[in-house]
């Protein structure tokens, strides 16, 4: 394939070198939960294209939403103009998320929605005249995106801060939550956050955290009680609480939003990834009237952000269709079914000498190994077994589309277990 060799010379891939890059697999098309490679091989997709494609690929209703909107307009600027797809999407998001989150800022990717959330927090405190409140506190093992502001609140070690320390804003870090269930929680689990809030009283603008599941920073789960206590601490110190639900939003944890599962409402909420069912890039930052009114009353009387492709109509139209598809499906039963399938299918990995932990939560299944995956053979080994699973670090994990059948789930999990077993041998 001529174009593939050219591509190899010219195109960067994520977190990859440009000299002697690792091989990439050309995808010709994708339907349901299967990717079809150029050579005709079909792979069961365990990644949902980085958590996004919750309804699978080439979905007739989502396709129709895009083509229908395409016939009207693909895009218009959002400064001074608006359109029905954006209005309808904002309405749905306000309706589905907890009160009082009722103001919506659309932007183009998850990282940008985190930038927006951090800027909102800073402008909020400026408007209130607390100019010293500009620090951001977070926990270790987080992942919030790759742009500079978002990267600054990622885990300082696996977020590669040492490479960019000269240009990254300095943030406050507390230890990662280490309380998978409510029974594991006691107040010492959150002591680090308490200490930082006390040490920097009057200087912290906001705390940012991924609720219930820390995704790309290690696929770690924590309990509702941790978040309830975090909310209390933020209230005691008058600090804004930002939930990054870019990975957890839209059903992934078995709750429509993890904040609902935790019974905690943040002041600012970031959504992305599955928002458009994996069709195009779109994100949203929601906040309360209190934050938006206060911010708007300060200098310069507006929130200072405005991406070129803000509220892209095609993306909003497909997001509306994706949300309808989710809400009108038996999504809770479906995710419970997938969780069971993952638990059953991944359990045999516990017996392997190179596995330290197997954990599942909602439609998320994780095998944690003792050593980092040797990608040069592990990736081809997974593909040979007919599945698309992309390990990172010591983790071999999946977040399948919600429409995956039990049969495909069984094939997916046994391919994972067999491949990890091969690594132990
Ligand atoms: C993926 C992700 C982001 C970044 O989103 P992009 O669309 O890749 O910029 C931020 N936060 C979390 C929790 C994510 O999973």
């Amino acid at each position: 394939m001529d174009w593939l060799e050219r591509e190899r010379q010219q195109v960067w891939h994520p977190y990859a070198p440009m000299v002697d890059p690792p091989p990439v697999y050309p995808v010709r098309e994708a339907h349901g939960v299967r990717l079809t490679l150029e050579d005709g091989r079909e792979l069961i997709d365990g990644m949902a294209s980085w958590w996004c494609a919750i309804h699978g690929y080439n979905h007739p209703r989502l396709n129709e939403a895009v083509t229908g909107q395409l016939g009207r307009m693909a895009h218009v600027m959002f400064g001074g103009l608006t359109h029905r797809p954006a209005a309808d999407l904002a309405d749905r998001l306000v309706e589905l998320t907890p009160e009082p989150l009722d103001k919506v800022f659309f932007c183009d990717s998850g990282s940008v929605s985190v930038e927006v959330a951090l800027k909102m927090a800073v402008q909020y405190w400026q408007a209130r005249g607390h100019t010293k409140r500009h620090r951001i506190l977070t926990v270790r093992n987080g992942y919030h995106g790759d742009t500079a502001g978002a990267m600054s609140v990622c885990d300082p070690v696996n977020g590669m801060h040492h490479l960019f320390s000269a240009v990254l804003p300095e943030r406050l870090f507390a230890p990662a939550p280490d309380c998978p269930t409510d029974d594991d929680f006691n107040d010492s689990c959150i002591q680090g956050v308490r200490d930082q809030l006390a040490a920097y009283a009057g200087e912290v603008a906001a705390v940012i955290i991924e609720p219930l599941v820390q995704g790309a920073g290690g696929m770690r789960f924590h309990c509702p009680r941790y978040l309830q206590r975090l909310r209390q601490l933020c209230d005691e110190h008058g600090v804004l609480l930002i939930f990054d639900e870019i990975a957890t939003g839209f059903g992934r944890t078995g709750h429509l939003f993890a904040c609902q599962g935790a019974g905690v409402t943040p002041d600012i909420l970031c959504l992305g990834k599955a928002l458009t069912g994996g069709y195009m890039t779109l994100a949203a930052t929601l906040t309360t009237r209190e934050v938006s009114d206060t911010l708007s009353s300060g200098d310069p009387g507006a929130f200072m952000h405005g991406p070129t492709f803000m509220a892209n109509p095609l993306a909003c139209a497909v997001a509306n269709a994706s949300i309808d598809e989710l809400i009108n499906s038996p999504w809770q039963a479906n995710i419970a079914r997938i969780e069971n399938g993952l638990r059953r299918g991944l359990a045999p990995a516990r017996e392997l000498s190179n596995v330290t932990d197997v954990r599942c939560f909602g439609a998320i299944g994780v095998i944690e190994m003792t050593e980092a995956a040797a990608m040069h053979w592990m990736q081809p080994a997974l593909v040979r077994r007919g599945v698309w699973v992309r390990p990172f670090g010591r983790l071999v994990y999946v977040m399948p589309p919600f429409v995956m059948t039990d049969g495909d789930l069984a094939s997916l999990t046994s391919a994972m277990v067999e491949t990890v077993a091969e690594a132990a041998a």
Side-chain angles (χ1 to χ4, degrees), residues 51 109-112 114 143-146 210 216 244 246-247 273 281:
W51 320 69
S109 74
S111 301
V112 175
V114 170
Y143 178 78
H144 298 284
D146 286 351
E210 299 153 272
D244 176 351
I246 292 162
K273 288 203 161 96
T281 179

Side-chain angles (χ1 to χ4, degrees), residues 104-158:
V104 184
F105 188 96
F106 288 115
C107 48
D108 25 25
S109 74
S111 301
V112 175
S113 79
V114 170
E115 303 282 346
V116 163
L118 299 176
K119 286 174 70 173
M120 275 181 183
V122 169
Q123 267 200 265
Y124 169 83
W125 286 111
Q126 274 174 9
R128 288 188 54 178
H130 294 242
T131 47
K132 280 219 181 91
R133 277 210 191 252
H134 53 73
R135 291 184 186 270
I136 306 293
L137 170 60
T138 187
V139 293
R140 290 179 183 266
N141 281 98
Y143 178 78
H144 298 284
D146 286 351
T147 56
M151 188 166 52
S152 72
V153 284
C154 291
D155 184 85
V157 179
N158 65 33

Side-chain angles (χ1 to χ4, degrees), residues 182 211-212 222-229 243 245 253 255 257-265 361:
D182 276 347
L212 297 186
H222 58 263
C223 63
R225 279 184 71 193
Y226 181 92
L227 297 169
Q228 290 156 10
R229 189 71 183 105
F243 276 178
E245 289 228 33
T253 66
H255 309 283
F257 297 101
C259 60
Q260 292 160 332
V264 174
T265 305
F361 178 37

